[in-house]
Structures are given as C-alpha cells and as structure tokens.
Amino acid sequence: MNRSQPIRAKSGTNHEGTSAHNRRVIIDALRLNGALSRADLARATRLTKQTVSNIIDELERDGLVVAQETVRKGRGQPSTPYALVPGGAFAIGLQIDRHVTRAVAVDLVGTVLVRAEADLPPDGPAKGARVVLDLVAGVRDGLSALARESEARLVGLGVAMPGPFGVDGADNDQWMMQAWQKYPLAETLASGTGLEVGLQNDAAACATAERMVGAAHGVDHAVCLYLGYGIGAGLILNSELYSGANGNGGEIGMALLSPHDPGRTSLEHRASLASLYQHLQIDPAAHGVYDEIGRRAEADDPRVLEWIASAATDLRWGVHLIETIFDPQTVILCGGAPEPLARRLIAAMEPLLPSTADRPGRMLPRLQLGLTDPWSVARGAAAEPIGRAFDPRFSAILKVAGGAVTATG
C-alpha cells in the first residue's frame, strides 16, 4: 500500500513473555492509522513478521480485527490490510458538570452510538447520583438495542468532572463542586453499574477527544486550553496524556492573574463561561444556554463582544504561560464554548504575547480552534476505558531489577 503519511506506532518488544503488550501495540497502531498490512505493522512496531502474524491471527479470532480486500501494487506481492472491528469493544463515557450530566456509548474506534443528557438537581450527589445512574442505564440499554453483543464487550465506564481533586472546600461551593468531590463517586458508579470506573478531570477528557478526532490527532506535544464553566488545560506530552501526581495536572484556571491582587482573582473567574453567564445575567442552568450564547456571539451582541475583549486579554496571558512552561507544538482552544464565540475569542487573542513558541519555521499555528461540541468531554471520557483495555502500557512489561531495566511477563 502507498501511504502519504508515516505510520504512527509505539514499539513492541520481541522479548519472551510480552505478548500482551505487543497485542496492545498492534491495536494502538490500527486505531491511530486505520487499516495496515502485516508488513506495515512489523516495520512500524519493530516486531518480527511472525510475531505480527500470530497477533493478527489471535485478534481476528477474538473479533477485534478483520481482513480487508487484498491490495495489489506493481510487480510485488499483494498485501492484505487489517482494520479494527468497531463492534469489537464498547465503552461508556460520562460527564458530570455543575448543572448537567451527559453520557455517551462508543465503539472501539470512538464512534458515538448513543448519547443522552439530564439536568442535575442543585443539592449535589444526594439526589444527583441516582440521576447519573439512571442516565448511564438508559444509554446502556440503548447500546444493547443497537448491538446485542455489547454487554459482553463493554470494557468500562469513563467519568469526567471538573477538578481539582482532593482540595478542601465548603460543601456548598458550586464552583469547586465540593459535594461531588467528597462523594464516593467512583465506588457508587462501580457498584451501581458493575463496570470498572475511571475518573479524570474534564479538560483531560476533552484533550483525549481532540487526540482521537480533533486538532491534536497526530500531534505529539499539544496543550488543549479547555473553556467551559471553568478553565483547565489538557496536557498531551510525548503523545501521552499527563494528569499530574493527584490528577490535577493542567488546572491553569486556578492560576492567579496577579500576586498583588488582594482578591486573589483566578483566571477562570474572569475568562470562563461562568464569567460570561454572570456578565450577561444568564442562568447557566437554563435550557438552551449553549445555543443562545452562540446566536448572540454570531450576531456580535455588544455585551458579548465586551466580555470577549476582557477575556481575550486574560486568556492571551494563559497561552503565554502554557507555551513558556510546556513548549507545545500548538495550543488548542476547545471545550463547551459555541463555535461563533470561540472563533471571535481566538481572533481577539491575536496577536499573542511573545514567548519561546514565537519562532520561524513553525509547522502548526501557536493557537488554533479545536472541538466546540458540548459532548466532547463525555466522548473523551469514554476513551479512557478503551485505552485502559487496549493501549500499550510500558510499565506493565518493564521493571527495575538490580539497577537495570528488564522485560517481564
């Protein structure tokens, strides 16, 4: 096959006892690149042709890959590309935000098959947990109706909600969602669904969605500046999501705008959607808020433009901070802001402040627009159990023994 782009893949290992890792490497390569032949997979993953053939045969038996039509090129031997079977695995992604919860069901390649949302009651998880469980159950039933084998191939539930995690605060602090933070959410969901549950912040989940289907696809170093009710940053470093020691990596919204500000005003209190709702005197829990903000931005509503001018100044500083600390290939503005608003905001942020990223020969813009779909967080959350089940984990095959790194089964 002729490919215009290089194949993106992690390396496998030909040591004994590492078949599980190599299996994940092959699946990951097919997810990143689409259909590949055995020869392409062997070259990209540095595995022997026999090892690749054995894994492909195993994955084909398990219903995870399928052979496609044979490709003939020139005088060489014909090759058979293999692709992932979308119905080989399924996962559910859940977003919990201040006023709403959204859930999606996806297949192995990340296609959204079912989605639903519900309003969250204002008294936190006391009643909200039941709403969330019912929402997940409804999406799960919808998935079963579409794919009867989905229950047997459901690999888990990924959950995303605003951080930071593990920070003390008042239970009635709606901004920090303290009541939800202190609630045994993962345990409750695991017990109520029977699924393995993974929890991450909403910015990290949105960055995962960008890496799957958005502007971060194929980018090794990117920071996704998440603009939602609050502000966060999803960190993609060396092609992997970085979450920090306590899951709070990228909480840039909590950064103080000035150490001399007696009110200790943080970035998200001045440039998030919550600050826009307050500026426009709109109830963030009202139905149709997303569409209304989009319409007003598209019509160049003077009050919206006034907020954009102020927020752009603060977000411009945020991009400068991100570039200086993380040196990404690009910064991607994404999240729950309607596209007309996000586009006007990016335009107002130009020109960006000078930073180490301001150099000639760039292949990508310093700042670009990413996903503005309100479902992107739930979609990214659904990728977490897929990744947990199928992504390569080098820590699973490496251990330090006597000061040397050795392979283990």
Side-chain angles (χ1 to χ4, degrees):
M1 292 180 295
N2 294 320
R3 300 185 62 90
S4 59
Q5 298 294 328
I7 298 172
R8 295 173 53 80
K10 291 183 170 64
S11 295
T13 174
N14 291 299
H15 289 289
E16 294 182 3
T18 56
S19 59
H21 169 73
N22 290 336
R23 176 182 164 111
R24 287 170 175 257
V25 164
I26 295 296
I27 292 173
D28 185 55
L30 294 175
R31 288 179 66 197
L32 284 173
N33 302 281
L36 295 171
S37 69
R38 299 184 189 216
D40 283 335
L41 284 165
R43 283 191 294 269
T45 62
R46 300 180 184 178
L47 292 169
T48 66
K49 291 181 180 179
Q50 186 59 54
T51 297
V52 170
S53 290
N54 292 341
I55 293 173
I56 287 294
D57 290 343
E58 178 187 342
L59 294 175
E60 201 168 13
R61 288 194 302 270
D62 291 346
L64 292 172
V65 304
V66 63
Q68 298 192 326
E69 186 176 348
T70 299
V71 176
R72 298 182 182 277
K73 52 180 181 179
R75 297 181 180 180
Q77 291 291 325
S79 62
T80 302
Y82 289 83
L84 291 178
V85 176
F90 302 91
I92 295 176
L94 174 69
Q95 178 191 17
I96 298 176
D97 210 339
R98 279 81 175 180
H99 308 289
V100 67
T101 178
R102 299 183 178 94
V104 301
V106 304
D107 60 21
L108 179 56
V109 297
T111 303
V112 176
L113 303 174
V114 184
R115 69 182 195 182
E117 66 180 353
D119 295 333
L120 282 176
D123 56 353
K127 295 180 180 177
R130 185 70 262 166
V131 172
V132 169
L133 283 169
D134 289 344
L135 183 70
V136 171
V139 166
R140 196 168 175 177
D141 288 344
L143 178 61
S144 295
L146 289 176
R148 286 178 295 176
E149 74 281 8
S150 63
E151 278 299 307
R153 292 181 175 269
L154 194 57
V155 296
L157 170 64
V159 184
M161 64 178 290
F165 301 124
V167 178
D168 288 336
D171 287 352
N172 62 353
D173 186 342
Q174 185 72 7
W175 188 278
M176 299 279 288
M177 293 188 69
Q178 279 297 307
W180 284 95
Q181 293 279 0
K182 296 176 181 179
Y183 186 75
L185 180 61
E187 295 84 351
T188 300
L189 291 173
S191 175
T193 64
L195 299 173
E196 187 173 350
V197 176
L199 178 65
Q200 61 185 322
N201 68 42
D202 46 11
C206 199
T208 300
E210 288 287 353
R211 186 170 57 170
M212 288 170 53
V213 297
H217 184 71
V219 180
D220 294 325
H221 308 278
V223 174
C224 298
L225 182 57
Y226 174 77
L227 179 61
Y229 189 95
I231 292 175
L235 310 175
I236 300 171
L237 309 177
N238 292 318
S239 302
E240 296 185 356
L241 200 67
Y242 177 76
S243 59
N246 302 292
N248 292 327
E251 286 289 349
I252 191 173
M254 299 189 69
L256 302 181
L257 293 174
S258 169
H260 306 295
D261 177 8
R264 296 187 175 182
T265 304
S266 64
L267 175 62
E268 64 185 0
H269 278 79
R270 287 184 40 156
S272 66
L273 292 185
S275 69
L276 175 59
Y277 299 146
Q278 185 176 26
H279 181 73
L280 298 177
Q281 297 181 320
I282 291 177
D283 179 5
H287 286 196
V289 169
Y290 180 88
D291 292 334
E292 180 182 350
I293 294 295
R295 285 192 299 269
R296 292 177 68 163
E298 198 161 26
D300 291 330
D301 182 302
R303 294 283 289 162
V304 172
L305 294 180
E306 184 181 27
W307 175 85
I308 286 175
S310 174
T313 299
D314 297 326
L315 290 172
R316 189 183 298 119
W317 169 83
V319 171
H320 169 82
L321 190 65
I322 287 170
E323 290 180 330
T324 303
I325 296 173
F326 295 107
D327 188 27
Q329 292 167 268
T330 186
V331 177
I332 301 167
L333 183 69
C334 60
E339 184 173 341
L341 178 68
R343 288 197 178 280
R344 284 161 174 75
L345 190 55
I346 281 186
M349 291 167 66
E350 298 287 353
L352 297 173
L353 296 173
S355 78
T356 54
D358 189 12
R359 63 186 186 276
R362 290 189 60 91
M363 300 298 292
L364 294 171
R366 289 174 61 187
L367 176 66
Q368 61 179 305
L369 182 63
L371 298 172
T372 57
D373 182 354
W375 295 89
S376 58
V377 171
R379 188 175 188 178
E384 190 277 333
I386 295 283
R388 192 189 325 131
F390 297 109
D391 284 358
R393 305 285 194 211
F394 287 104
S395 59
I397 65 166
L398 299 176
K399 69 178 181 180
V400 177
V405 178
T406 59
T408 184

